[in-house]
Amino acid sequence: MSTGSGYAPGRARQQQILAEATRAFGRAGFDGVSVQEIAEACGISRQGLLHHFKSKEDLLMALLRQRDEADQELFQGVLRESGSPFRAIVAVVRANAAAPGITAMFTQLAAEAIRPEHPAHDFFHDVYTRIHHDLRATLAQMQREGTLVTTADPEKLASGLIALRDGLALQFFLRSPTQNADEMTDTLETMFSLLIA
Amino acid sequence: MSTGSGYAPGRARQQQILAEATRAFGRAGFDGVSVQEIAEACGISRQGLLHHFKSKEDLLMALLRQRDEADQELFQGVLRESGSPFRAIVAVVRANAAAPGITAMFTQLAAEAIRPEHPAHDFFHDVYTRIHHDLRATLAQMQREGTLVTTADPEKLASGLIALRDGLALQFFLRSPTQNADEMTDTLETMFSLLIA
């Protein structure tokens, strides 16, 4: 479909913009980067970028959705293969730990989005409601099938697993950002094994 | 020590300013409130307020330290009485849940403070380092005395307990801010009982 004109097709250009925005936000945070800088990194004009994404908020939402889809895909893949939602959560955390700048941005955004007027509030509300609902259903099914030993309320257990994931990420950045990310996933695995023993 | 001039002594005035700032930040967030508005709530001028606290950031730091001291006092008191760091954490979370606006502000500030250039970065780094250190020491001592059954690494266990506290607060606000705060403390207690069984 190339016209030979030197312009990348729309979808490829969008992916390039998202990749550069991810890199830039990961380095300097959402507020620390301008649309102009992301456009320059892509070798296009500010107007050229705004043709694909109407605003920096629009770009942020596209990036959040892309990251959520990647997380979901990895989670579901590991869950299908291993039958373990615990291994699936650890796999997602391990993948995200490889990009600490982005993970730091997500940790900050989720907390900022507590405010109902925040542009990402509805996104985070929906994502947290969905992952909690799905995880609770998976845990309840495992209890019915006898593959999960603990009889703890799956509603509370799902909340606890998600809380461990988020709370350990926050501590990783606040206490010891230079530590090996393996320590965080090790701690997560140890906590999971205690919870489901 | 009253001079009878109608001016509250310095320390009483500072406490009044901190109380009004706590109320205002809890309602509208740190960015949503001006020094002018807090001064008006205290019945003093902007300059009068700035005589006690040099800036809004200065006021924020005083408020953070005051809250940290109150949390520490409650934690240590319940720990001394009950001998249980788990009950002490739940007591602090329950006390904070009674002021959801302030707790929301602290949840947001801790995540914002991930950035090393944030005015509260050093404060949160120090607080997290201290509570982790103290909790680890308490858990290790309980293991030596045989009052804690689990043989899990106290380093990881301390990280997990703090992560549950922070992660459940985040979910409380993102998923269901209208729910009864008792559900959050119930979940925290259930998770603790599973971890230390």
Side-chain angles (χ1 to χ4, degrees), chain A residues 108 115 125 159 171 174, chain B residues 108 115 125 159 171 174-175:
Chain A
Q108 289 172 56
R115 292 196 296 272
H125 173 80
S159 300
Q171 273 178 75
L174 279 180
Chain B
Q108 289 172 56
R115 292 196 295 273
H125 173 79
S159 300
Q171 273 178 76
L174 279 181
R175 276 208 293 130

Side-chain angles (χ1 to χ4, degrees), chain A residues 34-47 49:
Chain A
S34 66
V35 168
Q36 179 69 37
E37 288 171 275
I38 299 166
E40 278 172 20
C42 298
I44 59 176
S45 69
R46 188 170 172 281
Q47 278 308 314
L49 189 153

Side-chain angles (χ1 to χ4, degrees), chain A:
Chain A
M1 293 293 282
S2 170
T3 60
S5 70
Y7 287 101
R11 207 177 135 63
R13 179 64 88 191
Q14 281 188 7
Q15 291 305 312
Q16 184 204 12
I17 296 169
L18 287 171
E20 291 297 346
T22 298
R23 230 187 306 274
F25 291 153
R27 197 185 54 241
F30 179 68
D31 289 332
V33 181
S34 66
V35 168
Q36 179 69 37
E37 288 171 275
I38 299 166
E40 278 172 20
C42 298
I44 59 176
S45 69
R46 188 170 172 281
Q47 278 308 314
L49 189 153
L50 293 174
H51 170 72
H52 294 282
F53 299 96
K54 276 176 289 186
S55 63
K56 199 165 78 164
E57 283 70 25
D58 195 36
L59 184 50
L60 171 67
M61 293 313 300
L63 198 150
L64 287 173
R65 277 189 289 270
Q66 194 183 49
R67 152 88 171 230
D68 178 49
E69 280 164 22
D71 281 358
Q72 268 196 82
E73 201 173 316
L74 179 56
F75 180 89
Q76 295 299 339
V78 177
L79 179 59
R80 263 195 311 274
E81 272 175 41
S82 68
S84 165
F86 311 102
R87 283 195 202 165
I89 294 172
V90 171
V92 172
V93 169
R94 188 170 285 130
N96 292 339
I102 297 298
T103 304
M105 193 189 75
F106 274 78
T107 301
Q108 289 172 56
L109 277 172
E112 283 175 24
I114 283 177
R115 292 196 296 272
E117 68 276 17
H118 190 279
H121 176 77
D122 291 347
F123 171 84
F124 277 105
H125 173 80
D126 292 349
V127 166
Y128 272 77
T129 302
R130 189 197 72 225
I131 59 174
H132 185 269
H133 175 273
D134 291 355
L135 192 52
R136 183 183 51 179
T138 301
L139 295 168
Q141 193 189 340
M142 289 172 76
Q143 286 179 330
R144 284 193 299 274
E145 290 170 352
T147 50
L148 184 62
V149 176
T150 179
T151 57
D153 180 358
E155 162 92 22
K156 291 177 179 173
L157 200 50
S159 300
L161 300 180
I162 299 165
L164 279 166
R165 177 199 69 171
D166 293 344
L168 287 175
L170 180 67
Q171 273 178 75
F172 175 74
F173 291 111
L174 279 180
R175 275 207 295 130
S176 46
T178 56
Q179 80 182 353
N180 193 317
D182 286 345
E183 289 178 41
M184 180 171 58
T185 48
D186 279 358
T187 301
L188 194 60
E189 285 180 315
T190 301
M191 291 301 109
F192 285 179
S193 65
L194 289 173
L195 284 175
I196 62 178

Side-chain angles (χ1 to χ4, degrees), chain B residues 114-147:
Chain B
I114 283 176
R115 292 196 295 273
E117 69 275 18
H118 190 279
H121 176 78
D122 290 347
F123 171 84
F124 278 106
H125 173 79
D126 292 350
V127 166
Y128 272 77
T129 302
R130 187 198 72 223
I131 61 174
H132 184 269
H133 175 273
D134 291 354
L135 191 52
R136 184 183 52 180
T138 301
L139 295 168
Q141 193 189 340
M142 290 171 75
Q143 286 179 331
R144 284 192 301 272
E145 291 169 350
T147 50

